[in-house]
PDB file of all heavy atoms in Angstrom:
ATOM      1  N   ILE A1460     -60.002-133.025 -67.289  1.00 84.00           N
ATOM      2  CA  ILE A1460     -58.894-133.967 -67.246  1.00 84.00           C
ATOM      3  C   ILE A1460     -59.384-135.420 -67.257  1.00 84.00           C
ATOM      4  O   ILE A1460     -58.899-136.241 -68.030  1.00 84.00           O
ATOM      5  CB  ILE A1460     -58.027-133.728 -66.000  1.00 84.00           C
ATOM      6  CG1 ILE A1460     -57.569-132.265 -65.945  1.00 84.00           C
ATOM      7  CG2 ILE A1460     -56.840-134.678 -65.972  1.00 84.00           C
ATOM      8  CD1 ILE A1460     -56.734-131.840 -67.136  1.00 84.00           C
ATOM      9  N   LYS A1461     -60.360-135.701 -66.429  1.00 86.00           N
ATOM     10  CA  LYS A1461     -60.804-137.088 -66.284  1.00 86.00           C
ATOM     11  C   LYS A1461     -62.162-137.133 -65.615  1.00 86.00           C
ATOM     12  O   LYS A1461     -62.506-136.290 -64.794  1.00 86.00           O
ATOM     13  CB  LYS A1461     -59.788-137.865 -65.436  1.00 86.00           C
ATOM     14  CG  LYS A1461     -60.098-139.331 -65.225  1.00 86.00           C
ATOM     15  CD  LYS A1461     -59.910-140.154 -66.474  1.00 86.00           C
ATOM     16  CE  LYS A1461     -60.121-141.620 -66.201  1.00 86.00           C
ATOM     17  NZ  LYS A1461     -59.925-142.459 -67.396  1.00 86.00           N
ATOM     18  N   SER A1462     -62.969-138.141 -65.995  1.00 86.00           N
ATOM     19  CA  SER A1462     -64.274-138.359 -65.364  1.00 86.00           C
ATOM     20  C   SER A1462     -64.456-139.834 -65.036  1.00 86.00           C
ATOM     21  O   SER A1462     -63.844-140.703 -65.655  1.00 86.00           O
ATOM     22  CB  SER A1462     -65.413-137.912 -66.281  1.00 86.00           C
ATOM     23  OG  SER A1462     -65.420-136.522 -66.459  1.00 86.00           O
ATOM     24  N   SER A1463     -65.307-140.092 -64.088  1.00 90.00           N
ATOM     25  CA  SER A1463     -65.703-141.461 -63.771  1.00 90.00           C
ATOM     26  C   SER A1463     -67.112-141.423 -63.187  1.00 90.00           C
ATOM     27  O   SER A1463     -67.672-140.347 -62.959  1.00 90.00           O
ATOM     28  CB  SER A1463     -64.726-142.106 -62.792  1.00 90.00           C
ATOM     29  OG  SER A1463     -64.992-143.483 -62.657  1.00 90.00           O
ATOM     30  N   LYS A1464     -67.694-142.614 -62.959  1.00 91.00           N
ATOM     31  CA  LYS A1464     -69.067-142.685 -62.484  1.00 91.00           C
ATOM     32  C   LYS A1464     -69.177-143.498 -61.202  1.00 91.00           C
ATOM     33  O   LYS A1464     -68.500-144.508 -61.028  1.00 91.00           O
ATOM     34  CB  LYS A1464     -69.974-143.306 -63.542  1.00 91.00           C
ATOM     35  CG  LYS A1464     -70.163-142.473 -64.771  1.00 91.00           C
ATOM     36  CD  LYS A1464     -71.244-143.042 -65.669  1.00 91.00           C
ATOM     37  CE  LYS A1464     -70.913-144.434 -66.163  1.00 91.00           C
ATOM     38  NZ  LYS A1464     -71.938-144.938 -67.099  1.00 91.00           N
ATOM     39  N   LEU A1465     -70.065-143.018 -60.342  1.00 90.00           N
ATOM     40  CA  LEU A1465     -70.462-143.774 -59.164  1.00 90.00           C
ATOM     41  C   LEU A1465     -71.769-144.468 -59.522  1.00 90.00           C
ATOM     42  O   LEU A1465     -72.752-143.807 -59.854  1.00 90.00           O
ATOM     43  CB  LEU A1465     -70.667-142.829 -57.971  1.00 90.00           C
ATOM     44  CG  LEU A1465     -71.145-143.459 -56.661  1.00 90.00           C
ATOM     45  CD1 LEU A1465     -70.001-144.206 -55.995  1.00 90.00           C
ATOM     46  CD2 LEU A1465     -71.676-142.387 -55.719  1.00 90.00           C
ATOM     47  N   ASN A1466     -71.768-145.787 -59.498  1.00 86.00           N
ATOM     48  CA  ASN A1466     -72.953-146.509 -59.921  1.00 86.00           C
ATOM     49  C   ASN A1466     -73.971-146.656 -58.803  1.00 86.00           C
ATOM     50  O   ASN A1466     -73.737-146.280 -57.665  1.00 86.00           O
ATOM     51  CB  ASN A1466     -72.557-147.878 -60.482  1.00 86.00           C
ATOM     52  CG  ASN A1466     -71.879-147.755 -61.828  1.00 86.00           C
ATOM     53  OD1 ASN A1466     -72.209-146.880 -62.625  1.00 86.00           O
ATOM     54  ND2 ASN A1466     -70.893-148.613 -62.086  1.00 86.00           N
ATOM     55  N   SER A1467     -75.107-147.234 -59.141  1.00 75.00           N
ATOM     56  CA  SER A1467     -76.231-147.309 -58.219  1.00 75.00           C
ATOM     57  C   SER A1467     -75.917-148.106 -56.960  1.00 75.00           C
ATOM     58  O   SER A1467     -74.936-148.828 -56.880  1.00 75.00           O
ATOM     59  CB  SER A1467     -77.434-147.934 -58.929  1.00 75.00           C
ATOM     60  OG  SER A1467     -77.094-149.212 -59.423  1.00 75.00           O
ATOM     61  N   TYR A1468     -76.837-147.997 -55.967  1.00 69.00           N
ATOM     62  CA  TYR A1468     -76.691-148.547 -54.640  1.00 69.00           C
ATOM     63  C   TYR A1468     -75.463-147.935 -53.957  1.00 69.00           C
ATOM     64  O   TYR A1468     -74.974-146.903 -54.342  1.00 69.00           O
ATOM     65  CB  TYR A1468     -76.637-150.080 -54.665  1.00 69.00           C
ATOM     66  CG  TYR A1468     -77.836-150.682 -55.334  1.00 69.00           C
ATOM     67  CD1 TYR A1468     -77.708-151.449 -56.482  1.00 69.00           C
ATOM     68  CD2 TYR A1468     -79.111-150.430 -54.850  1.00 69.00           C
ATOM     69  CE1 TYR A1468     -78.819-151.981 -57.110  1.00 69.00           C
ATOM     70  CE2 TYR A1468     -80.225-150.956 -55.466  1.00 69.00           C
ATOM     71  CZ  TYR A1468     -80.070-151.733 -56.598  1.00 69.00           C
ATOM     72  OH  TYR A1468     -81.168-152.237 -57.213  1.00 69.00           O
ATOM     73  N   HIS A1469     -74.945-148.582 -52.974  1.00 66.00           N
ATOM     74  CA  HIS A1469     -73.798-148.029 -52.252  1.00 66.00           C
ATOM     75  C   HIS A1469     -72.517-148.512 -52.909  1.00 66.00           C
ATOM     76  O   HIS A1469     -72.274-149.712 -53.016  1.00 66.00           O
ATOM     77  CB  HIS A1469     -73.844-148.470 -50.799  1.00 66.00           C
ATOM     78  CG  HIS A1469     -74.803-147.665 -49.992  1.00 66.00           C
ATOM     79  ND1 HIS A1469     -75.663-146.768 -50.524  1.00 66.00           N
ATOM     80  CD2 HIS A1469     -75.025-147.622 -48.682  1.00 66.00           C
ATOM     81  CE1 HIS A1469     -76.375-146.223 -49.575  1.00 66.00           C
ATOM     82  NE2 HIS A1469     -76.011-146.731 -48.441  1.00 66.00           N
ATOM     83  N   SER A1470     -71.704-147.590 -53.335  1.00 78.00           N
ATOM     84  CA  SER A1470     -70.453-147.950 -53.988  1.00 78.00           C
ATOM     85  C   SER A1470     -69.429-146.865 -53.728  1.00 78.00           C
ATOM     86  O   SER A1470     -69.707-145.855 -53.083  1.00 78.00           O
ATOM     87  CB  SER A1470     -70.669-148.145 -55.494  1.00 78.00           C
ATOM     88  OG  SER A1470     -71.228-146.983 -56.069  1.00 78.00           O
ATOM     89  N   LYS A1471     -68.219-147.085 -54.232  1.00 89.00           N
ATOM     90  CA  LYS A1471     -67.140-146.116 -54.056  1.00 89.00           C
ATOM     91  C   LYS A1471     -66.281-146.122 -55.306  1.00 89.00           C
ATOM     92  O   LYS A1471     -65.976-147.174 -55.865  1.00 89.00           O
ATOM     93  CB  LYS A1471     -66.293-146.471 -52.832  1.00 89.00           C
ATOM     94  CG  LYS A1471     -65.179-145.460 -52.551  1.00 89.00           C
ATOM     95  CD  LYS A1471     -64.549-145.697 -51.187  1.00 89.00           C
ATOM     96  CE  LYS A1471     -63.589-146.837 -51.183  1.00 89.00           C
ATOM     97  NZ  LYS A1471     -62.845-146.920 -49.892  1.00 89.00           N
ATOM     98  N   VAL A1472     -65.929-144.934 -55.773  1.00 91.00           N
ATOM     99  CA  VAL A1472     -65.045-144.809 -56.919  1.00 91.00           C
ATOM    100  C   VAL A1472     -63.822-144.010 -56.488  1.00 91.00           C
ATOM    101  O   VAL A1472     -63.935-143.017 -55.757  1.00 91.00           O
ATOM    102  CB  VAL A1472     -65.759-144.152 -58.120  1.00 91.00           C
ATOM    103  CG1 VAL A1472     -66.216-142.748 -57.805  1.00 91.00           C
ATOM    104  CG2 VAL A1472     -64.870-144.174 -59.349  1.00 91.00           C
ATOM    105  N   THR A1473     -62.643-144.471 -56.911  1.00 91.00           N
ATOM    106  CA  THR A1473     -61.390-143.813 -56.547  1.00 91.00           C
ATOM    107  C   THR A1473     -60.632-143.441 -57.815  1.00 91.00           C
ATOM    108  O   THR A1473     -60.367-144.303 -58.662  1.00 91.00           O
ATOM    109  CB  THR A1473     -60.516-144.735 -55.684  1.00 91.00           C
ATOM    110  OG1 THR A1473     -61.237-145.082 -54.501  1.00 91.00           O
ATOM    111  CG2 THR A1473     -59.226-144.035 -55.290  1.00 91.00           C
ATOM    112  N   LEU A1474     -60.271-142.171 -57.956  1.00 87.00           N
ATOM    113  CA  LEU A1474     -59.431-141.698 -59.056  1.00 87.00           C
ATOM    114  C   LEU A1474     -58.036-141.453 -58.495  1.00 87.00           C
ATOM    115  O   LEU A1474     -57.874-140.690 -57.543  1.00 87.00           O
ATOM    116  CB  LEU A1474     -59.992-140.400 -59.647  1.00 87.00           C
ATOM    117  CG  LEU A1474     -61.432-140.444 -60.190  1.00 87.00           C
ATOM    118  CD1 LEU A1474     -61.801-139.105 -60.793  1.00 87.00           C
ATOM    119  CD2 LEU A1474     -61.606-141.548 -61.195  1.00 87.00           C
ATOM    120  N   THR A1475     -57.058-142.099 -59.089  1.00 86.00           N
ATOM    121  CA  THR A1475     -55.690-142.009 -58.579  1.00 86.00           C
ATOM    122  C   THR A1475     -54.748-141.520 -59.670  1.00 86.00           C
ATOM    123  O   THR A1475     -54.775-142.036 -60.798  1.00 86.00           O
ATOM    124  CB  THR A1475     -55.203-143.390 -58.090  1.00 86.00           C
ATOM    125  OG1 THR A1475     -56.135-143.887 -57.132  1.00 86.00           O
ATOM    126  CG2 THR A1475     -53.838-143.280 -57.442  1.00 86.00           C
ATOM    127  N   SER A1476     -53.916-140.543 -59.364  1.00 82.00           N
ATOM    128  CA  SER A1476     -52.962-140.035 -60.349  1.00 82.00           C
ATOM    129  C   SER A1476     -51.874-141.066 -60.622  1.00 82.00           C
ATOM    130  O   SER A1476     -51.452-141.786 -59.729  1.00 82.00           O
ATOM    131  CB  SER A1476     -52.341-138.720 -59.869  1.00 82.00           C
ATOM    132  OG  SER A1476     -51.589-138.928 -58.688  1.00 82.00           O
ATOM    133  N   ASN A1477     -51.463-141.141 -61.867  1.00 76.00           N
ATOM    134  CA  ASN A1477     -50.402-142.080 -62.236  1.00 76.00           C
ATOM    135  C   ASN A1477     -49.011-141.557 -61.885  1.00 76.00           C
ATOM    136  O   ASN A1477     -48.015-142.259 -62.025  1.00 76.00           O
ATOM    137  CB  ASN A1477     -50.453-142.379 -63.735  1.00 76.00           C
ATOM    138  CG  ASN A1477     -51.684-143.181 -64.095  1.00 76.00           C
ATOM    139  OD1 ASN A1477     -52.214-143.907 -63.262  1.00 76.00           O
ATOM    140  ND2 ASN A1477     -52.143-143.042 -65.324  1.00 76.00           N
ATOM    141  N   GLY A1478     -48.974-140.332 -61.482  1.00 84.00           N
ATOM    142  CA  GLY A1478     -47.715-139.712 -61.092  1.00 84.00           C
ATOM    143  C   GLY A1478     -47.998-138.459 -60.301  1.00 84.00           C
ATOM    144  O   GLY A1478     -49.143-138.184 -59.920  1.00 84.00           O
ATOM    145  N   LYS A1479     -46.983-137.660 -60.080  1.00 88.00           N
ATOM    146  CA  LYS A1479     -47.181-136.418 -59.341  1.00 88.00           C
ATOM    147  C   LYS A1479     -47.827-135.367 -60.234  1.00 88.00           C
ATOM    148  O   LYS A1479     -47.515-135.246 -61.417  1.00 88.00           O
ATOM    149  CB  LYS A1479     -45.854-135.899 -58.803  1.00 88.00           C
ATOM    150  CG  LYS A1479     -45.243-136.782 -57.728  1.00 88.00           C
ATOM    151  CD  LYS A1479     -43.951-136.190 -57.183  1.00 88.00           C
ATOM    152  CE  LYS A1479     -43.377-137.056 -56.070  1.00 88.00           C
ATOM    153  NZ  LYS A1479     -42.128-136.473 -55.519  1.00 88.00           N
ATOM    154  N   LEU A1480     -48.769-134.643 -59.652  1.00 87.00           N
ATOM    155  CA  LEU A1480     -49.467-133.587 -60.373  1.00 87.00           C
ATOM    156  C   LEU A1480     -48.749-132.252 -60.187  1.00 87.00           C
ATOM    157  O   LEU A1480     -48.155-131.987 -59.135  1.00 87.00           O
ATOM    158  CB  LEU A1480     -50.907-133.454 -59.876  1.00 87.00           C
ATOM    159  CG  LEU A1480     -51.780-134.711 -59.937  1.00 87.00           C
ATOM    160  CD1 LEU A1480     -53.173-134.378 -59.480  1.00 87.00           C
ATOM    161  CD2 LEU A1480     -51.776-135.314 -61.324  1.00 87.00           C
ATOM    162  N   ALA A1481     -48.853-131.428 -61.220  1.00 92.00           N
ATOM    163  CA  ALA A1481     -48.261-130.091 -61.142  1.00 92.00           C
ATOM    164  C   ALA A1481     -49.001-129.243 -60.118  1.00 92.00           C
ATOM    165  O   ALA A1481     -50.186-129.459 -59.842  1.00 92.00           O
ATOM    166  CB  ALA A1481     -48.304-129.430 -62.509  1.00 92.00           C
ATOM    167  N   LYS A1482     -48.285-128.285 -59.532  1.00 93.00           N
ATOM    168  CA  LYS A1482     -48.957-127.415 -58.577  1.00 93.00           C
ATOM    169  C   LYS A1482     -49.996-126.564 -59.291  1.00 93.00           C
ATOM    170  O   LYS A1482     -49.915-126.303 -60.491  1.00 93.00           O
ATOM    171  CB  LYS A1482     -47.954-126.539 -57.838  1.00 93.00           C
ATOM    172  CG  LYS A1482     -47.229-125.509 -58.693  1.00 93.00           C
ATOM    173  CD  LYS A1482     -46.278-124.688 -57.838  1.00 93.00           C
ATOM    174  CE  LYS A1482     -45.565-123.614 -58.669  1.00 93.00           C
ATOM    175  NZ  LYS A1482     -44.673-122.793 -57.820  1.00 93.00           N
ATOM    176  N   GLY A1483     -51.008-126.155 -58.544  1.00 94.00           N
ATOM    177  CA  GLY A1483     -52.073-125.351 -59.119  1.00 94.00           C
ATOM    178  C   GLY A1483     -53.411-125.677 -58.482  1.00 94.00           C
ATOM    179  O   GLY A1483     -53.505-126.468 -57.536  1.00 94.00           O
ATOM    180  N   THR A1484     -54.481-125.070 -59.011  1.00 95.00           N
ATOM    181  CA  THR A1484     -55.831-125.279 -58.482  1.00 95.00           C
ATOM    182  C   THR A1484     -56.569-126.289 -59.343  1.00 95.00           C
ATOM    183  O   THR A1484     -56.586-126.200 -60.570  1.00 95.00           O
ATOM    184  CB  THR A1484     -56.619-123.959 -58.451  1.00 95.00           C
ATOM    185  OG1 THR A1484     -55.920-123.036 -57.609  1.00 95.00           O
ATOM    186  CG2 THR A1484     -58.017-124.175 -57.906  1.00 95.00           C
ATOM    187  N   TYR A1485     -57.228-127.243 -58.680  1.00 95.00           N
ATOM    188  CA  TYR A1485     -57.993-128.286 -59.353  1.00 95.00           C
ATOM    189  C   TYR A1485     -59.451-128.206 -58.894  1.00 95.00           C
ATOM    190  O   TYR A1485     -59.740-127.844 -57.754  1.00 95.00           O
ATOM    191  CB  TYR A1485     -57.397-129.655 -59.042  1.00 95.00           C
ATOM    192  CG  TYR A1485     -56.020-129.824 -59.617  1.00 95.00           C
ATOM    193  CD1 TYR A1485     -54.897-129.390 -58.899  1.00 95.00           C
ATOM    194  CD2 TYR A1485     -55.835-130.382 -60.869  1.00 95.00           C
ATOM    195  CE1 TYR A1485     -53.627-129.520 -59.422  1.00 95.00           C
ATOM    196  CE2 TYR A1485     -54.562-130.523 -61.408  1.00 95.00           C
ATOM    197  CZ  TYR A1485     -53.470-130.089 -60.690  1.00 95.00           C
ATOM    198  OH  TYR A1485     -52.209-130.219 -61.222  1.00 95.00           O
ATOM    199  N   TYR A1486     -60.330-128.563 -59.807  1.00 95.00           N
ATOM    200  CA  TYR A1486     -61.761-128.479 -59.531  1.00 95.00           C
ATOM    201  C   TYR A1486     -62.393-129.865 -59.631  1.00 95.00           C
ATOM    202  O   TYR A1486     -62.076-130.650 -60.527  1.00 95.00           O
ATOM    203  CB  TYR A1486     -62.450-127.540 -60.514  1.00 95.00           C
ATOM    204  CG  TYR A1486     -62.009-126.103 -60.378  1.00 95.00           C
ATOM    205  CD1 TYR A1486     -60.890-125.633 -61.069  1.00 95.00           C
ATOM    206  CD2 TYR A1486     -62.705-125.223 -59.560  1.00 95.00           C
ATOM    207  CE1 TYR A1486     -60.468-124.329 -60.942  1.00 95.00           C
ATOM    208  CE2 TYR A1486     -62.293-123.904 -59.427  1.00 95.00           C
ATOM    209  CZ  TYR A1486     -61.183-123.459 -60.115  1.00 95.00           C
ATOM    210  OH  TYR A1486     -60.769-122.161 -59.987  1.00 95.00           O
ATOM    211  N   ILE A1487     -63.316-130.121 -58.727  1.00 96.00           N
ATOM    212  CA  ILE A1487     -64.086-131.368 -58.741  1.00 96.00           C
ATOM    213  C   ILE A1487     -65.542-131.006 -59.039  1.00 96.00           C
ATOM    214  O   ILE A1487     -66.156-130.221 -58.319  1.00 96.00           O
ATOM    215  CB  ILE A1487     -64.010-132.101 -57.392  1.00 96.00           C
ATOM    216  CG1 ILE A1487     -62.558-132.401 -57.031  1.00 96.00           C
ATOM    217  CG2 ILE A1487     -64.825-133.386 -57.421  1.00 96.00           C
ATOM    218  CD1 ILE A1487     -62.386-132.964 -55.628  1.00 96.00           C
ATOM    219  N   LYS A1488     -66.069-131.566 -60.112  1.00 96.00           N
ATOM    220  CA  LYS A1488     -67.469-131.356 -60.466  1.00 96.00           C
ATOM    221  C   LYS A1488     -68.227-132.666 -60.259  1.00 96.00           C
ATOM    222  O   LYS A1488     -67.836-133.715 -60.783  1.00 96.00           O
ATOM    223  CB  LYS A1488     -67.599-130.920 -61.924  1.00 96.00           C
ATOM    224  CG  LYS A1488     -69.049-130.727 -62.384  1.00 96.00           C
ATOM    225  CD  LYS A1488     -69.102-130.417 -63.879  1.00 96.00           C
ATOM    226  CE  LYS A1488     -70.540-130.243 -64.364  1.00 96.00           C
ATOM    227  NZ  LYS A1488     -70.607-130.004 -65.833  1.00 96.00           N
ATOM    228  N   ILE A1489     -69.329-132.605 -59.507  1.00 96.00           N
ATOM    229  CA  ILE A1489     -70.171-133.777 -59.277  1.00 96.00           C
ATOM    230  C   ILE A1489     -71.534-133.488 -59.891  1.00 96.00           C
ATOM    231  O   ILE A1489     -72.182-132.491 -59.550  1.00 96.00           O
ATOM    232  CB  ILE A1489     -70.285-134.101 -57.780  1.00 96.00           C
ATOM    233  CG1 ILE A1489     -68.875-134.380 -57.221  1.00 96.00           C
ATOM    234  CG2 ILE A1489     -71.199-135.282 -57.543  1.00 96.00           C
ATOM    235  CD1 ILE A1489     -68.835-134.568 -55.730  1.00 96.00           C
ATOM    236  N   SER A1490     -71.981-134.353 -60.798  1.00 96.00           N
ATOM    237  CA  SER A1490     -73.189-134.075 -61.580  1.00 96.00           C
ATOM    238  C   SER A1490     -73.935-135.359 -61.911  1.00 96.00           C
ATOM    239  O   SER A1490     -73.427-136.470 -61.728  1.00 96.00           O
ATOM    240  CB  SER A1490     -72.796-133.350 -62.874  1.00 96.00           C
ATOM    241  OG  SER A1490     -71.922-134.157 -63.649  1.00 96.00           O
ATOM    242  N   ARG A1491     -75.116-135.207 -62.418  1.00 94.00           N
ATOM    243  CA  ARG A1491     -75.874-136.363 -62.880  1.00 94.00           C
ATOM    244  C   ARG A1491     -75.325-136.826 -64.234  1.00 94.00           C
ATOM    245  O   ARG A1491     -74.825-136.012 -65.021  1.00 94.00           O
ATOM    246  CB  ARG A1491     -77.360-136.013 -63.001  1.00 94.00           C
ATOM    247  CG  ARG A1491     -77.682-134.879 -63.963  1.00 94.00           C
ATOM    248  CD  ARG A1491     -79.163-134.556 -63.926  1.00 94.00           C
ATOM    249  NE  ARG A1491     -79.523-133.572 -64.970  1.00 94.00           N
ATOM    250  CZ  ARG A1491     -80.768-133.170 -65.211  1.00 94.00           C
ATOM    251  NH1 ARG A1491     -81.763-133.655 -64.485  1.00 94.00           N
ATOM    252  NH2 ARG A1491     -81.027-132.303 -66.160  1.00 94.00           N
ATOM    253  N   THR A1492     -75.443-138.117 -64.520  1.00 94.00           N
ATOM    254  CA  THR A1492     -74.967-138.621 -65.803  1.00 94.00           C
ATOM    255  C   THR A1492     -75.987-138.407 -66.911  1.00 94.00           C
ATOM    256  O   THR A1492     -75.637-138.287 -68.074  1.00 94.00           O
ATOM    257  CB  THR A1492     -74.639-140.120 -65.713  1.00 94.00           C
ATOM    258  OG1 THR A1492     -75.792-140.816 -65.220  1.00 94.00           O
ATOM    259  CG2 THR A1492     -73.472-140.355 -64.774  1.00 94.00           C
ATOM    260  N   ASP A1493     -77.256-138.371 -66.553  1.00 94.00           N
ATOM    261  CA  ASP A1493     -78.309-138.015 -67.506  1.00 94.00           C
ATOM    262  C   ASP A1493     -79.481-137.446 -66.718  1.00 94.00           C
ATOM    263  O   ASP A1493     -79.428-137.336 -65.490  1.00 94.00           O
ATOM    264  CB  ASP A1493     -78.724-139.199 -68.386  1.00 94.00           C
ATOM    265  CG  ASP A1493     -79.331-140.363 -67.601  1.00 94.00           C
ATOM    266  OD1 ASP A1493     -80.036-140.125 -66.597  1.00 94.00           O
ATOM    267  OD2 ASP A1493     -79.106-141.518 -68.002  1.00 94.00           O
ATOM    268  N   LYS A1494     -80.556-137.107 -67.397  1.00 95.00           N
ATOM    269  CA  LYS A1494     -81.664-136.395 -66.749  1.00 95.00           C
ATOM    270  C   LYS A1494     -82.407-137.246 -65.725  1.00 95.00           C
ATOM    271  O   LYS A1494     -83.212-136.721 -64.944  1.00 95.00           O
ATOM    272  CB  LYS A1494     -82.640-135.878 -67.787  1.00 95.00           C
ATOM    273  CG  LYS A1494     -83.395-136.965 -68.554  1.00 95.00           C
ATOM    274  CD  LYS A1494     -84.371-136.338 -69.529  1.00 95.00           C
ATOM    275  CE  LYS A1494     -85.185-137.395 -70.263  1.00 95.00           C
ATOM    276  NZ  LYS A1494     -86.162-136.769 -71.194  1.00 95.00           N
ATOM    277  N   TYR A1495     -82.138-138.549 -65.679  1.00 96.00           N
ATOM    278  CA  TYR A1495     -82.833-139.422 -64.743  1.00 96.00           C
ATOM    279  C   TYR A1495     -81.986-139.816 -63.534  1.00 96.00           C
ATOM    280  O   TYR A1495     -82.418-140.611 -62.703  1.00 96.00           O
ATOM    281  CB  TYR A1495     -83.306-140.687 -65.459  1.00 96.00           C
ATOM    282  CG  TYR A1495     -84.456-140.445 -66.416  1.00 96.00           C
ATOM    283  CD1 TYR A1495     -84.528-141.142 -67.621  1.00 96.00           C
ATOM    284  CD2 TYR A1495     -85.454-139.527 -66.127  1.00 96.00           C
ATOM    285  CE1 TYR A1495     -85.581-140.925 -68.503  1.00 96.00           C
ATOM    286  CE2 TYR A1495     -86.505-139.300 -67.000  1.00 96.00           C
ATOM    287  CZ  TYR A1495     -86.559-140.005 -68.183  1.00 96.00           C
ATOM    288  OH  TYR A1495     -87.603-139.796 -69.055  1.00 96.00           O
ATOM    289  N   SER A1496     -80.791-139.280 -63.430  1.00 95.00           N
ATOM    290  CA  SER A1496     -79.902-139.645 -62.319  1.00 95.00           C
ATOM    291  C   SER A1496     -80.085-138.714 -61.122  1.00 95.00           C
ATOM    292  O   SER A1496     -80.276-137.505 -61.286  1.00 95.00           O
ATOM    293  CB  SER A1496     -78.440-139.589 -62.769  1.00 95.00           C
ATOM    294  OG  SER A1496     -78.181-140.521 -63.797  1.00 95.00           O
ATOM    295  N   SER A1497     -80.010-139.283 -59.947  1.00 96.00           N
ATOM    296  CA  SER A1497     -80.004-138.489 -58.713  1.00 96.00           C
ATOM    297  C   SER A1497     -79.464-139.364 -57.593  1.00 96.00           C
ATOM    298  O   SER A1497     -79.271-140.570 -57.756  1.00 96.00           O
ATOM    299  CB  SER A1497     -81.413-137.977 -58.369  1.00 96.00           C
ATOM    300  OG  SER A1497     -82.271-139.055 -57.999  1.00 96.00           O
ATOM    301  N   GLY A1498     -79.228-138.761 -56.441  1.00 95.00           N
ATOM    302  CA  GLY A1498     -78.722-139.515 -55.303  1.00 95.00           C
ATOM    303  C   GLY A1498     -77.922-138.640 -54.366  1.00 95.00           C
ATOM    304  O   GLY A1498     -78.081-137.416 -54.345  1.00 95.00           O
ATOM    305  N   TYR A1499     -77.049-139.247 -53.590  1.00 95.00           N
ATOM    306  CA  TYR A1499     -76.216-138.495 -52.663  1.00 95.00           C
ATOM    307  C   TYR A1499     -74.798-139.040 -52.706  1.00 95.00           C
ATOM    308  O   TYR A1499     -74.531-140.146 -53.201  1.00 95.00           O
ATOM    309  CB  TYR A1499     -76.770-138.542 -51.246  1.00 95.00           C
ATOM    310  CG  TYR A1499     -76.528-139.844 -50.522  1.00 95.00           C
ATOM    311  CD1 TYR A1499     -75.418-140.005 -49.696  1.00 95.00           C
ATOM    312  CD2 TYR A1499     -77.415-140.918 -50.652  1.00 95.00           C
ATOM    313  CE1 TYR A1499     -75.189-141.196 -49.033  1.00 95.00           C
ATOM    314  CE2 TYR A1499     -77.198-142.108 -49.995  1.00 95.00           C
ATOM    315  CZ  TYR A1499     -76.082-142.243 -49.193  1.00 95.00           C
ATOM    316  OH  TYR A1499     -75.851-143.429 -48.540  1.00 95.00           O
TER     317      TYR A1499
END
């Protein structure tokens, strides 16, 4: 549905729905952006 990135150092990213979402199960995947990315 949608992706965004958390950039280096300490930061925060917020994804907000533009309206109400349909009922159901949603999945959150957290991954590296390329082979050199890592962190917490």
Side-chain angles (χ1 to χ4, degrees):
I1460 306 300
K1461 181 71 176 181
S1462 292
S1463 189
K1464 292 189 299 183
L1465 178 75
N1466 288 326
S1467 58
Y1468 304 118
H1469 281 8
S1470 57
K1471 183 169 78 172
V1472 62
T1473 301
L1474 302 183
T1475 305
S1476 64
N1477 291 333
K1479 293 182 178 181
L1480 304 183
K1482 66 179 182 178
T1484 300
Y1485 294 86
Y1486 294 87
I1487 302 173
K1488 178 185 179 183
I1489 300 174
S1490 60
R1491 60 184 187 176
T1492 55
D1493 63 35
K1494 67 178 183 179
Y1495 289 143
S1496 297
S1497 68
Y1499 76 94

